[in-house]
Amino acid sequence: MGQLDNKTALVTGASTGIGLAVARRFAAEGATVYLTGRRKAELEAAVEQAGGRAIGIQSDVSKLDDLDRLFAEITERSGHLDIVVANAGVGDFGPLGSITEEEYDRTTSINLKGTVFTVQKALPLLSASASVILLSSSAALRGVPGLGVYAATKAAIRSLARTWAAELAGRGIRVNALTPGPVTTPGADELRAALPQVDQATEPAAPTPLGRAGRPDEVAATALYLAGDQSSFTTGAELFVDGGATQL
């Protein structure tokens, strides 16, 4: 028996990286998992990796028409959701003096607007005792130069977890923030490559106190805890999966 047998889950931004790892783990634990992504070919490959319990629906969380179509299909196919993982997100390197309106709009539309309306439009489908997991980032706490807009959206997501946990407690719905640190994914690697190189004389070579970056499957394991019954008394919380990067 799996930990998520007979559960139905949605994971946004599940074509690669953390989202794909979460979708794969949920499916392996018995859930029917809806995966979303903007790029059709990558999404189809992700569905194949996630296995027979995976269903791919191409959509962009920053477009409300796409979200309406997504939830209409979930309603038709399953009629409810037990788990929502709002993972879709992007990050652009942009110091204060060079932030463009286009970059600002792209980051806030996907990370913040996309999260707000994904969860809002999921509300009619959420079962009693459903779990909502919002992906934040350790960048929100660390003051990384050049990541101001990205970090601000991730700090806002952590705040939303508190507010929504309070708003939805009466329905028995739990809302928590999951906060990864440095994790080896295509998107994170691309973003780190854009950052200025640190001075190795003053900065440690290791990305975390544990001496390495994390793996997507390690974040997925924490997502599984938040999604399942083992976290039935956990809401409004923030769980760090960062190798100690923000705490130590």
Side-chain angles (χ1 to χ4, degrees):
M1 291 181 62
Q3 295 185 53
L4 301 179
D5 284 345
N6 302 315
K7 301 287 188 180
T8 302
L10 166 66
V11 183
T12 65
S15 295
T16 61
I18 290 172
L20 174 56
V22 170
R24 291 175 64 180
R25 184 63 189 271
F26 283 9
E29 293 290 344
T32 297
V33 186
Y34 291 91
L35 292 73
T36 75
R38 291 176 291 158
R39 292 176 289 274
K40 183 178 181 181
E42 289 186 7
L43 180 61
E44 290 175 347
V47 169
E48 186 173 346
Q49 289 186 54
R53 295 183 178 275
I55 301 167
I57 303 176
Q58 185 180 6
S59 64
D60 182 338
V61 298
S62 69
K63 298 178 179 178
L64 300 193
D65 287 347
D66 276 19
L67 289 176
D68 288 336
R69 178 172 49 80
L70 165 67
F71 287 108
E73 187 163 346
I74 294 174
T75 299
E76 183 177 350
R77 285 173 173 261
S78 298
H80 75 285
L81 282 169
D82 303 295
I83 305 157
V84 173
V85 181
N87 168 73
V90 296
D92 292 318
F93 174 72
L96 176 59
S98 61
I99 296 169
T100 67
E101 184 178 15
E102 180 182 7
E103 291 166 347
Y104 174 87
D105 287 344
R106 165 181 148 86
T107 303
T108 57
S109 290
I110 294 175
N111 295 6
L112 187 52
K113 175 185 171 184
T115 296
V116 169
F117 288 102
T118 293
V119 178
Q120 182 196 77
K121 291 178 181 294
L123 284 178
L125 292 173
L126 293 181
S127 60
S129 75
S131 173
V132 176
I133 303 168
L134 311 181
L135 268 289
S136 184
S137 169
S138 64
L141 292 92
R142 298 177 61 202
V144 181
L147 295 186
V149 175
Y150 171 76
T153 63
K154 293 300 184 177
I157 286 170
R158 197 281 172 258
S159 178
L160 290 173
R162 287 191 182 97
T163 303
W164 294 345
E167 291 182 356
L168 299 177
R171 288 180 55 184
I173 296 170
R174 298 178 296 110
V175 185
N176 293 289
L178 174 54
T179 300
V183 176
T184 302
T185 68
D189 292 345
E190 182 179 342
L191 181 58
R192 280 193 289 271
L195 297 175
Q197 295 299 307
V198 299
D199 181 354
Q200 294 298 327
T202 59
E203 294 286 341
T208 72
L210 289 182
R212 63 176 176 85
R215 302 186 307 271
D217 65 281
E218 292 175 308
V219 182
T222 304
L224 175 62
Y225 165 73
L226 290 174
D229 294 338
Q230 294 186 59
S231 61
S232 59
F233 201 53
T234 302
T235 193
E238 180 174 21
L239 270 66
F240 293 92
V241 189
D242 66 351
T246 55
Q247 307 303 313
L248 308 181

